[in-house]
Amino acid sequence: MTSEIDRKEKLELNKLQKRLRRLTGQAIADFNMIEEGDKVMVCLSGGKDSYTMLDILMNLQRSAPISFEIVAVNLDQKQPGFPEHILPEYLSQVGVSYHILEKDTYSIVKEVVPEGKTTCGLCSRLRRGSLYGFAEEIGATKIALGHHRDDILETLFLNMFFGGKLKAMPPKLLSDDGKHVVIRPLAYCTESDIEEYSLLKSFPIIPCNLCGSQENLQRQVVKEMLQNWEKQYPGRVDTMFSAVQNVVPSHLADTELFDFKGLKQSEDAFKRLNIIEL
C-alpha cells in the first residue's frame, strides 16, 4: 500500500514539475528575463514560493540553451526564534552558491510601526533596499523574486480598491534608479500548484512571525475574495490574468496613456457622412 502511495506521489510530483517548468520557461522567454551570462540573485525567504522558484530555476539551468549563474540570497532580518541553520543546510545540500545577509530590520519595524498596525509596507521597503544593495555588491545582473500569478492579481485588486491605481506586479521591472532588473519567473504559476509542489518536495518551510501571522490584512481579504470567485465560477482567475496581458488604453480613461484630446473624426469619414446626409 505504501509503495502504491509513493508511486502516485512521484507521478504527481513529476506532473507538477513539468507544468511549473513549462510555465516558468514560458514567462522567462516572453519577458526575456534571463540572458546569456546573467548572474541571477534568487531571493530566498524560506517560504514555499521562493523554494519552488529556486528549485525550478536550478532545474531549468541544467537544460537551458544559455549559460547563467544562480546565487541564492537570504536576508536574515533577526526575527526572534528564526532558525538560522535551516537555509544554510538546505542550500549546501542542493549544491547552490549562497549568501546569508544579516540585517536587523525586525527591530526597526517593531520600533516604528505602532502595535496592531500592519508591518508589511515598511518591512518590504527595508528588505528591498538591503537586497538591492547586496545585488550590486555581488554583481548580480538580475534579482529574482518568488511572486506568482495569484500575487499579481491580488496586487491588481489591492491597488484598485485601496490605491486608486490600475497596476499590478510586473513580471519584469527596472528599479527606479535604473540599476537593477527585477524578475518574477513564477508569474504564470498558480499558488495552488506551488503549494502542492512544496509539500511533495518537503521543503523546510520557515514561517514569518513578523507579517505572516497578522490577521485581517487587506491582501488576505482580497485573496479570499478571489478564491471564492474561483470556487463559484471556475476559470474566472485565468480570465482575469488574461485581462492583465490584454490591456486596451483607448478603452480606459488615462489621458497620459492615450491621446483622448487629440481624438477626432477623420476627414474622409466626415466627407462620407455629408454625402450620406445629402
Side-chain angles (χ1 to χ4, degrees), residues 5 27 40 56 72 80 110 126 167 234 263 267 274 276:
I5 293 172
V40 183
I56 296 298
K110 296 303 286 184
L126 292 171
K167 72 173 189 177
L263 199 62
E267 192 174 330
N274 284 341
I276 291 169

Short mmCIF file of all heavy atoms in Angstrom, two decimals, residues 5 27 40 56 72 80 110 126 167 234 263 267 274 276:
data_model
loop_
_atom_site.label_atom_id
_atom_site.label_comp_id
_atom_site.label_asym_id
_atom_site.label_seq_id
_atom_site.Cartn_x
_atom_site.Cartn_y
_atom_site.Cartn_z
N ILE A 5 1.22 4.41 -2.77
CA ILE A 5 1.10 5.83 -2.43
C ILE A 5 2.34 6.58 -2.91
O ILE A 5 2.24 7.66 -3.50
CB ILE A 5 0.90 6.03 -0.91
CG1 ILE A 5 -0.46 5.46 -0.48
CG2 ILE A 5 0.99 7.51 -0.53
CD1 ILE A 5 -0.68 5.42 1.01
N ALA A 27 7.39 32.16 -19.18
CA ALA A 27 7.47 33.52 -18.65
C ALA A 27 8.86 34.11 -18.90
O ALA A 27 8.99 35.28 -19.29
CB ALA A 27 7.17 33.53 -17.15
N VAL A 40 22.06 35.55 -11.70
CA VAL A 40 20.71 35.72 -11.15
C VAL A 40 20.75 35.55 -9.63
O VAL A 40 21.09 34.48 -9.12
CB VAL A 40 19.72 34.71 -11.76
CG1 VAL A 40 18.31 34.94 -11.21
CG2 VAL A 40 19.72 34.81 -13.28
N ILE A 56 12.98 25.22 -9.41
CA ILE A 56 12.66 25.19 -10.84
C ILE A 56 13.75 25.87 -11.67
O ILE A 56 14.11 25.40 -12.76
CB ILE A 56 11.28 25.85 -11.09
CG1 ILE A 56 10.15 25.05 -10.40
CG2 ILE A 56 11.00 25.97 -12.59
CD1 ILE A 56 9.98 23.63 -10.89
N ALA A 72 21.85 32.08 -4.51
CA ALA A 72 20.73 32.21 -3.57
C ALA A 72 21.13 33.17 -2.45
O ALA A 72 22.24 33.09 -1.92
CB ALA A 72 20.34 30.86 -3.00
N PRO A 80 13.00 37.12 16.22
CA PRO A 80 13.22 36.22 17.36
C PRO A 80 12.83 34.78 17.02
O PRO A 80 11.78 34.54 16.42
CB PRO A 80 12.28 36.79 18.44
CG PRO A 80 12.08 38.22 18.05
CD PRO A 80 12.12 38.24 16.56
N LYS A 110 9.50 46.97 14.35
CA LYS A 110 8.76 46.91 15.62
C LYS A 110 8.81 48.25 16.35
O LYS A 110 7.87 48.62 17.05
CB LYS A 110 9.34 45.81 16.52
CG LYS A 110 9.18 44.40 15.96
CD LYS A 110 7.74 44.02 15.66
CE LYS A 110 6.95 43.74 16.91
NZ LYS A 110 5.56 43.28 16.60
N LEU A 126 12.36 48.03 3.54
CA LEU A 126 13.68 47.80 4.13
C LEU A 126 14.35 46.57 3.52
O LEU A 126 15.55 46.58 3.23
CB LEU A 126 13.54 47.61 5.65
CG LEU A 126 13.12 48.84 6.46
CD1 LEU A 126 12.82 48.46 7.90
CD2 LEU A 126 14.22 49.91 6.41
N LYS A 167 -2.82 49.05 -11.51
CA LYS A 167 -1.49 48.48 -11.71
C LYS A 167 -1.34 47.22 -10.88
O LYS A 167 -1.99 47.07 -9.83
CB LYS A 167 -0.38 49.48 -11.38
CG LYS A 167 -0.19 49.78 -9.91
CD LYS A 167 1.06 50.64 -9.69
CE LYS A 167 1.38 50.76 -8.21
NZ LYS A 167 2.62 51.51 -7.96
N PRO A 234 -15.45 28.62 -11.78
CA PRO A 234 -14.14 28.07 -12.14
C PRO A 234 -13.62 28.65 -13.46
O PRO A 234 -14.37 28.75 -14.44
CB PRO A 234 -14.42 26.57 -12.27
CG PRO A 234 -15.60 26.32 -11.40
CD PRO A 234 -16.44 27.56 -11.53
N LEU A 263 -8.26 63.04 -30.22
CA LEU A 263 -9.10 62.09 -30.94
C LEU A 263 -10.18 62.84 -31.72
O LEU A 263 -11.03 63.51 -31.13
CB LEU A 263 -9.75 61.13 -29.93
CG LEU A 263 -10.30 59.81 -30.45
CD1 LEU A 263 -9.20 58.96 -31.07
CD2 LEU A 263 -10.97 59.05 -29.32
N GLU A 267 -11.09 63.08 -41.69
CA GLU A 267 -11.67 63.94 -42.73
C GLU A 267 -12.47 63.14 -43.74
O GLU A 267 -13.56 63.54 -44.16
CB GLU A 267 -10.55 64.71 -43.43
CG GLU A 267 -11.06 65.84 -44.32
CD GLU A 267 -9.94 66.67 -44.89
OE1 GLU A 267 -8.89 66.79 -44.23
OE2 GLU A 267 -10.12 67.18 -46.01
N ASN A 274 -21.30 63.46 -44.82
CA ASN A 274 -22.01 64.55 -45.51
C ASN A 274 -22.70 64.05 -46.78
O ASN A 274 -23.83 64.46 -47.09
CB ASN A 274 -21.03 65.67 -45.86
CG ASN A 274 -20.67 66.49 -44.65
OD1 ASN A 274 -21.37 66.46 -43.67
ND2 ASN A 274 -19.56 67.22 -44.71
N ILE A 276 -23.79 61.04 -47.32
CA ILE A 276 -24.94 60.23 -46.90
C ILE A 276 -26.10 61.13 -46.52
O ILE A 276 -27.26 60.91 -46.86
CB ILE A 276 -24.55 59.30 -45.75
CG1 ILE A 276 -23.58 58.21 -46.24
CG2 ILE A 276 -25.79 58.64 -45.13
CD1 ILE A 276 -22.94 57.41 -45.13
#
